[in-house]
Amino acid sequence: MTPKTFKIKSFGCQMNVYDGERMAELLAEQGMRSVAEGEDADLVVLNTCHIREKAAEKAYSDVGRLRREGSTKPLIALAGCVAQAEGAEAQRRSPMIDIVVGPQAYHRLPEMVTKASKGARPVETDMPAISKFEAFPTRRHANPSSFLTVQEGCDKFCTYCVVPYTRGAEISRPWGDVVAEAHALVDAGAREIVLLGQNVNAWQDGARGLADLIRILAKIDGLERIRYTTSHPAEMNDALIAAHGEVPKLMPYLHLPVQSGSSRVLRAMNRSHTPETYLAIVEKMRAARPDIAISGDFIVGFPGETEEDFEATLQIIDAVRYASAYSFKYSARPGTPAATMEDQIPLEIMDERLQRLQAKINHYQLAFNRSKLGSDTEVLIERIGKLPGQMIGRSPWLQSVHVETDCQAGDLIDVTLVAAGPNSMAAAVRSKEAA
Ligand code: 5AD
Ligand code: SF4
């Protein structure tokens, strides 16, 4: 039977969220209806992440959970990076999986669903020349803050990372397509656009780079805020840094993963930056935009990491004073060069280092939030909070801000920041923007 309803569950990075939205639009165009969390669907798409072992294993435990007693099993499509990495092997491991579709083949999903509904078990992990983006329908739904993928894939081959294998080579979407999609999102209600790419700052179309794209998007009426993520230090060029000082719609926030503060470990990771070149970028960025919130990613326990290497990571945190950061224990991924390196670090040491690192990050995160106390600023309201009358939005520095107000998602309101915690701020309304 052809499925009539579907549900998509996305895990991992923001690009998966974006892909999930696009797959939903594609299935809706075929006449299928999306059902809410908690309701049964005829088709369940698990949009998975392969970045660390725990995330990848979650894909299979979720498949197991979908076994429903007494009712018919839904069609199960394994999508995302686990699908790409495992291909048909996924169906051998878990026979409940009907469809395996890698991130570059989502435009094939409707025909795969039709085949699967007739009993076939299609697998599609090619990285075809025709881009999936061309097959997606025009955007008709938007969130106040909407994602827009402009670049995908990675050619950097950091030795710990699966992304070059799961997302393929770096590609940039053409300028015109991105601008058209941005207009469609704003017409559908987006007030902020977050440009996405695994190396978003490597985006290019001919002579145009990300800074040019941002300057053009900033001209769209009704679009109030622009962000981009994730940036690679090697691609952090002067034009982009200058844009932060000159384009008011470009928000004062930069996610710039460093991974480690030890030059030796950075070399073993095949990161092309050193602690010194990284700090030089941060300094230039602060010169262009003094209030910029810098955020980063860290891996502790990379093979061969000594206590001294780890202390260099703590030092770089002190030097940058991160406004926020994500930190992870190293996870050996099959097929990556680091997985077979000698001197893998025991879990207890990784746990202990991660705790010390996170204590330091929390300290700076709270310090950053406290430094904004008393500031008059704008918050883009995104959703309803847990308490009555409470709404939650984001400050320009991407802090999560709680406000008691009768405004709606999508409103950009003037507030004063009145309380600071390690993970969020509270604000009081000054005056509501005229609708
Ligand atoms: N183990 C642990 N963390 C990893 N990351 C990427 N690969 C691994 C791995 N094998 C982290 C990096 C990256 C973030 C998205 O995930 O910090 O920036
Ligand atoms: Fe996970 Fe990377 Fe795939 Fe995103 S691109 S889902 S972070 S493996």
Side-chain angles (χ1 to χ4, degrees), residues 48-114:
T48 59
C49 176
H50 201 245
I51 198 97
R52 283 169 291 275
E53 190 180 356
K54 237 187 183 165
E57 286 306 315
K58 186 168 187 338
Y60 291 99
S61 56
D62 281 359
V63 169
R65 204 166 306 130
L66 285 171
R67 195 190 302 271
R68 283 183 291 151
E69 296 218 356
S71 62
T72 44
K73 173 186 120 20
L75 278 183
I76 298 177
L78 187 76
C81 295
V82 174
Q84 186 64 38
E86 311 229 320
E89 180 57 31
Q91 289 175 329
R92 279 189 283 277
R93 197 172 149 184
S94 176
M96 305 222 337
I97 298 170
D98 302 285
I99 296 169
V100 178
V101 58
Q104 305 310 335
Y106 292 151
H107 51 294
R108 303 263 173 82
L109 186 58
E111 71 188 61
M112 294 172 85
V113 171
T114 307

Side-chain angles (χ1 to χ4, degrees), residues 51-52 160-162 230 255 257 259 271 297-299 326 328-333 336:
I51 198 97
R52 283 169 291 275
Y160 51 81
C161 187
V162 290
T230 287
H255 184 61
Q259 313 297 0
R271 298 287 289 177
D297 287 347
F298 294 89
I299 296 177
Y326 303 88
F328 312 98
K329 284 180 270 190
Y330 168 74
S331 167
R333 308 305 294 127
T336 60

Side-chain angles (χ1 to χ4, degrees), residues 42-368:
D42 301 334
L43 166 71
V44 176
V45 181
L46 294 174
N47 193 11
T48 59
C49 176
H50 201 245
I51 198 97
R52 283 169 291 275
E53 190 180 356
K54 237 187 183 165
E57 286 306 315
K58 186 168 187 338
Y60 291 99
S61 56
D62 281 359
V63 169
R65 204 166 306 130
L66 285 171
R67 195 190 302 271
R68 283 183 291 151
E69 296 218 356
S71 62
T72 44
K73 173 186 120 20
L75 278 183
I76 298 177
L78 187 76
C81 295
V82 174
Q84 186 64 38
E86 311 229 320
E89 180 57 31
Q91 289 175 329
R92 279 189 283 277
R93 197 172 149 184
S94 176
M96 305 222 337
I97 298 170
D98 302 285
I99 296 169
V100 178
V101 58
Q104 305 310 335
Y106 292 151
H107 51 294
R108 303 263 173 82
L109 186 58
E111 71 188 61
M112 294 172 85
V113 171
T114 307
K115 283 186 190 155
S117 66
K118 292 179 185 146
R121 309 182 79 219
V123 175
E124 188 65 79
T125 52
D126 284 354
M127 303 222 176
I130 159 207
S131 127
K132 65 180 172 189
F133 297 104
E134 287 164 31
F136 288 139
T138 308
R139 316 251 14 203
R140 293 190 213 293
H141 302 284
N143 298 318
S145 174
S146 287
F147 294 135
L148 200 179
T149 295
V150 301
Q151 182 280 335
E152 203 171 336
C154 182
D155 298 338
K156 306 277 188 293
F157 291 94
C158 299
T159 53
Y160 51 81
C161 187
V162 290
V163 170
Y165 314 100
T166 59
R167 290 276 170 175
E170 278 181 20
I171 60 120
S172 289
R173 290 180 68 193
W175 164 271
D177 292 6
V178 173
V179 175
E181 189 171 329
H183 274 283
L185 283 170
V186 173
D187 290 347
R191 306 205 69 188
E192 171 176 290
I193 289 183
V194 185
L195 304 174
L196 297 183
Q198 267 96 25
N199 285 299
V200 71
N201 54 344
W203 180 90
Q204 92 180 92
D205 183 357
R208 290 155 161 165
L210 189 66
D212 304 298
L213 184 62
I214 287 168
R215 285 177 196 270
I216 285 290
L217 296 180
K219 297 202 169 107
I220 300 178
D221 281 341
L223 178 62
E224 308 295 343
R225 292 177 162 193
I226 301 170
R227 302 181 187 276
Y228 61 93
T229 197
T230 287
S231 294
H232 194 290
E235 310 277 356
M236 209 60 224
N237 58 48
D238 288 345
L240 190 53
I241 295 175
H244 273 276
E246 294 164 9
V247 181
K249 288 185 184 178
L250 183 55
M251 291 294 103
Y253 177 91
L254 175 67
H255 184 61
L256 194 65
V258 66
Q259 313 297 0
S260 166
S262 150
S263 13
R264 208 183 58 79
V265 171
L266 287 171
R267 253 195 325 274
M269 287 177 163
N270 194 33
R271 298 287 289 177
S272 47
H273 56 91
T274 63
E276 293 74 27
T277 58
Y278 181 89
L279 287 171
I281 298 169
V282 170
E283 201 174 307
K284 272 192 191 171
M285 202 61 172
R286 288 199 164 127
R289 181 79 207 220
D291 69 334
I292 191 115
I294 307 275
S295 109
D297 287 347
F298 294 89
I299 296 177
V300 301
F302 184 81
E305 184 188 72
T306 62
E307 174 62 23
E308 203 184 342
D309 292 321
F310 175 66
E311 278 166 17
T313 301
L314 296 179
Q315 277 165 21
I316 207 162
I317 298 174
D318 286 328
V320 175
R321 305 181 309 280
Y322 285 91
S324 72
Y326 303 88
S327 46
F328 312 98
K329 284 180 270 190
Y330 168 74
S331 167
R333 308 305 294 127
T336 60
T340 49
M341 284 180 186
E342 283 174 19
D343 203 7
Q344 302 277 326
I345 305 295
L347 196 57
E348 311 82 73
I349 296 189
M350 289 207 258
D351 279 330
E352 187 262 343
R353 289 183 185 163
L354 188 68
Q355 268 187 25
R356 281 157 71 197
L357 183 137
Q358 289 182 340
K360 205 177 247 312
I361 300 276
N362 289 345
H363 165 83
Y364 285 110
Q365 197 159 309
L366 183 59
F368 181 85

Side-chain angles (χ1 to χ4, degrees), residues 6-11 13-28 34 45-48 79-80 103 106 109 132 136 139 147 149 167 196:
F6 70 92
K7 185 153 63 181
I8 300 182
K9 297 173 84 174
S10 291
F11 306 94
C13 64
Q14 292 149 320
M15 194 169 286
N16 266 12
V17 175
Y18 174 86
D19 286 340
E21 289 170 2
R22 303 307 311 261
M23 282 190 268
E25 289 164 338
L26 198 58
L27 295 173
S34 153
V45 181
L46 294 174
N47 193 11
T48 59
Y106 292 151
L109 186 58
K132 65 180 172 189
F136 288 139
R139 316 251 14 203
F147 294 135
T149 295
R167 290 276 170 175
L196 297 183

